[in-house]
Amino acid sequence: MEFRTIIEPFRIKSIESVKFTNLEDREAALVAAAYNVFRLRADDVLIDLLTDSGTGAMSAAQWGALIQADESYAGSRSFYRFEAAVRDLTGFEYIIPTHQGRAAERILFHTVLQAGQIVPNNNHFDTTRANIEFEHAEAVDLVIAEGRVPALVHPFKGNVDLAALERLLQERGDRVPLVMVTVTNNSGGGQPVSLENLRGVRALCDAYRKPLFLDACRFAENAYFIKRREPGYQDRTPKAIAQEMFALADGCTMSAKKDGLANIGGFLAMNDATWAEQSRNLLILTEGFPTYGGLAGYDLEAIARGLEEVVDESYLRYRIRSIEYLGEKLSGAGVPIIQPPGGHAIYIDARALLPHIPPLQYPGIALVNALYVEAGIRGVEIGTVMFGLHPDGSETPAAMDLVRLAVPRRVYTQSHIDYVAEAVIGVAAMRDRLRGYRIVSPPKVLRHFTAEFAPVEDGVGA
Ligand code: F0G
C-alpha cells in the first residue's frame, strides 16, 4: 500500500501537560502583560509558537546520552563526540563550541570584521545583523527579488541575487571580508537556498577570493527542500545533500537550538587556522575553554546526537509536511501567508489580513494578541514593532507586517496543528473587530521584547 497519511515518526514516552484557560483568564493575563505576549508567563500559553529555537523535544537517545556525559573541564570525551559529529556533517577542520548561535556570530565578526566593512547575505537574521553593526560594519541583504514578494510561489525564495552580489564584490569588494548565506532564510520566511545558487555564490567567492560562511541553523530543513525541489537530488539522502552544502563553504555559524535538536548550544566551524586561533582566544575570554565553549558536557552530547537525528528522512518528511499542512489549511481558507510555507514556520501577512489597521498601529500585534485571547496560541510579530524604530528615534512602517507561527521540533501533534488552523481561520473571520495598538512605554532598543502597549480603542485586541 502507498500511504498518503504522514504520521509523526515517533511515539511519546514522556508528556508535559498544557494548561487550559478561558477567555477571561487570557484577557486578564494579556492586560497584566501590557498587551505584549513576550511578557506572558509561558504557563498561561496553550500552544507556544513564539519560536522554534531551543523549544524542541529531545529523543530518549539524547536524554540517555546526558547521563553518560563527561564534565571534564578540558579534553572531555563529550567534546570529541561533538566534534566528530560536526566534522562528519560539515567537513570543517576547526570546530568551536559556543553557548548559542549569536555567540558564534559575535566571535566570528569580532575576529574578522573591521569598522566600515560589509557582510553580504541573503537576509541577515536580527542577531547576525546586530553583531555586524556592533563592529561598526554594514550588513547587506541580497535575497532574490522573488524572495521579497509574500504571495509569490518560487521553490528557492531564499536564493542570493547573484548579479547583485557580483556588483557588490566588483564595486566594494575590498571592504568585504566574507560572504554569508543563511539556510533556510529565516528573515525571508524560512525559505530554502538551492545547491545551484550556493554553487553560484561559491564561484563568485572564488573569483573575488572571499571565504563563504553559512548561517546553518536550519541546514537539515534546507537539505530536505533541495531533495524535494531541486532536479537531480531526489535519490540523495538529506545528510549527503547537507554535506554537499557545507562542502561549498569555508565555515559556518550554527545555533544548535534549531536543527541541532538541542535546547541550548551552537558552534563556529571553519577551515582557516588563523581565524580559528583568534576565535578560540576570544572564546576563552567570554565563553570558556575550547573543549566546552560555555556548554556542559551533556549539552555537547545532546547536540552530537541531535545532529545525527535531524537528517533522518522520515523526521524531515514529517517536519516539512506539518508546516506545509498548516499553510494549506490557512491559505485554503483565504488567510494570506508567505508562499510557499517555510521549513519551520508559517508567516501570516497581517497587513494584508487587517487593511483597516494602519502599519503604525501594528496590525501584527493586533493579530498576535487576538490569537492569544481567542485560542491561547502565542505567535510573534515580525513587522513594524520589530523593525520600524530607527536609531534617530523616528518610526516608519517595516517592509512587511508579518506574524510568525514557528513550530517547535517534535513537540506538537497533528491535532495541535489542526487546532492552530481552526483558531487562525476563526480569528481571520472576526478581522473587522480587531483594533490597533499604540506603544505606551517605548524602550530604546529591541523594543518588541519589552514594550508596553495599549489598544487604540477599548477592547482586548479585539
Ligand atoms: N541565525 C538565524 C537564522 C536564526 O534564526 C537565529 C535565531 C540565530 C542565527 C541566532 O541563534 O538564538 O542560538 O543565538 N533565531 C531564533 C528565532 C531566536 O526565533 O528565529 P541563537
Side-chain angles (χ1 to χ4, degrees):
M1 264 175 83
E2 189 76 41
F3 283 95
R4 288 183 51 246
T5 310
I6 295 171
I7 62 169
E8 287 83 6
F10 48 79
R11 48 188 187 182
I12 297 167
K13 187 187 291 251
S14 177
I15 61 103
E16 189 180 3
S17 296
V18 289
K19 184 170 112 185
F20 287 90
T21 51
N22 60 33
L23 191 81
E24 291 72 41
D25 296 335
R26 292 190 295 270
E27 280 175 347
L30 192 62
V31 170
Y35 300 98
N36 183 345
V37 295
F38 275 104
R39 302 167 68 109
L40 288 170
R41 282 175 176 261
D43 276 351
D44 293 330
V45 176
L46 182 65
I47 297 194
D48 203 345
L49 307 181
L50 187 73
T51 179
D52 64 320
S53 180
T55 52
M58 293 212 295
S59 66
Q62 284 175 297
W63 285 113
L66 257 57
I67 199 76
Q68 295 176 25
D70 173 5
E71 299 300 343
S72 302
Y73 188 94
S76 146
R77 176 179 70 237
S78 300
F79 170 75
Y80 292 108
R81 257 209 182 95
F82 161 86
E83 186 187 44
V86 176
R87 188 168 294 134
D88 176 44
L89 191 67
T90 66
F92 297 132
E93 182 66 26
Y94 303 103
I95 292 153
I96 300 169
T98 59
H99 79 274
Q100 61 184 87
R102 65 198 70 182
E105 294 165 2
R106 186 189 63 81
I107 289 170
L108 174 68
F109 295 136
H110 192 70
T111 301
V112 311
L113 275 187
Q114 319 259 306
Q117 289 189 321
I118 301 166
V119 182
N121 203 330
N122 41 2
N123 283 119
H124 291 273
F125 180 67
D126 55 9
T127 59
T128 322
R129 170 177 294 279
N131 274 297
I132 290 168
E133 291 174 354
F134 193 70
E135 303 296 334
H136 304 286
E138 190 186 341
V140 176
D141 288 340
L142 297 177
V143 74
I144 53 170
E146 292 90 334
R148 302 178 199 264
V149 187
L152 191 112
V153 176
H154 179 288
F156 292 104
K157 270 175 114 169
N159 280 355
V160 175
D161 182 338
L162 296 176
L165 177 60
E166 174 142 43
R167 219 164 28 244
L168 177 77
L169 291 171
Q170 245 163 24
E171 290 166 8
R172 299 190 283 167
D174 55 321
R175 287 163 56 196
V176 176
L178 83 171
V179 173
M180 284 196 89
V181 180
T182 305
V183 291
T184 57
N185 188 21
N186 184 12
S187 304
Q191 302 292 324
V193 178
S194 71
L195 267 167
E196 184 190 21
N197 188 254
L198 277 179
R199 279 193 289 269
V201 175
R202 174 78 260 170
L204 287 173
C205 287
D206 286 342
Y208 290 87
R209 292 194 306 280
K210 303 295 178 194
L212 169 60
F213 273 64
L214 297 181
D215 177 340
C217 298
R218 299 178 180 85
F219 73 93
E221 290 165 7
N222 199 86
Y224 190 71
F225 278 121
I226 289 172
K227 181 178 169 80
R228 289 278 303 278
R229 297 182 183 168
E230 189 158 353
Y233 287 93
Q234 281 58 49
D235 298 328
R236 303 282 298 281
T237 62
K239 181 175 175 182
I241 295 171
Q243 286 169 325
E244 195 169 331
M245 288 161 46
F246 284 113
L248 289 166
D250 303 290
C252 72
T253 55
M254 172 74 187
S255 167
K257 302 172 73 172
K258 284 80 164 176
D259 276 348
L261 296 179
N263 299 124
I264 196 71
F267 55 85
L268 171 62
M270 63 183 83
N271 288 329
D272 187 285
T274 313
W275 279 3
E277 195 194 328
Q278 291 167 353
S279 297
R280 280 185 176 138
N281 289 338
L282 200 53
L283 185 86
I284 293 178
L285 213 62
T286 59
E287 295 274 306
F289 191 73
T291 61
Y292 75 87
L295 295 170
Y298 52 68
D299 298 320
L300 295 166
E301 293 280 350
I303 297 167
R305 271 159 194 75
L307 290 174
E308 290 162 10
E309 293 176 9
V310 78
V311 289
D312 177 73
E313 191 158 340
S314 54
Y315 159 72
L316 285 168
R317 185 189 308 119
Y318 137 84
R319 168 76 179 155
I320 299 299
R321 178 59 197 155
S322 64
I323 317 280
E324 192 180 56
Y325 172 81
L326 176 59
E328 282 169 9
K329 287 203 156 195
L330 298 188
S331 51
V335 178
I337 62 168
I338 291 195
Q339 295 284 7
H344 66 294
I346 291 294
Y347 294 69
I348 303 171
D349 187 344
R351 193 178 291 173
L353 182 71
L354 305 172
H356 60 287
I357 302 181
L360 292 182
Q361 290 181 13
Y362 315 131
I365 297 295
L367 180 58
V368 164
N369 287 355
L371 277 172
Y372 176 68
V373 168
E374 297 299 328
I377 295 167
R378 177 159 67 170
V380 66
E381 189 249 23
I382 301 195
T384 301
V385 174
M386 201 178 266
F387 300 121
L389 180 67
H390 308 293
D392 66 1
S394 66
E395 187 185 34
T396 54
M400 295 190 263
D401 276 296
L402 302 174
V403 169
R404 184 182 76 170
L405 304 177
V407 183
R409 292 169 182 78
R410 309 193 291 200
V411 169
Y412 294 116
T413 64
Q414 182 169 347
S415 62
H416 290 117
I417 298 291
D418 284 328
Y419 173 88
V420 171
E422 188 180 340
V424 175
I425 292 165
V427 167
M430 57 171 82
R431 68 181 81 181
D432 295 342
R433 289 173 22 213
L434 268 55
R435 293 289 172 265
Y437 284 84
R438 61 194 171 83
I439 292 178
V440 292
S441 85
K444 282 205 174 55
V445 287
L446 297 174
R447 63 178 180 167
H448 55 286
F449 288 128
T450 53
E452 298 181 8
F453 296 95
V456 166
E457 293 177 31
D458 284 351
V460 183

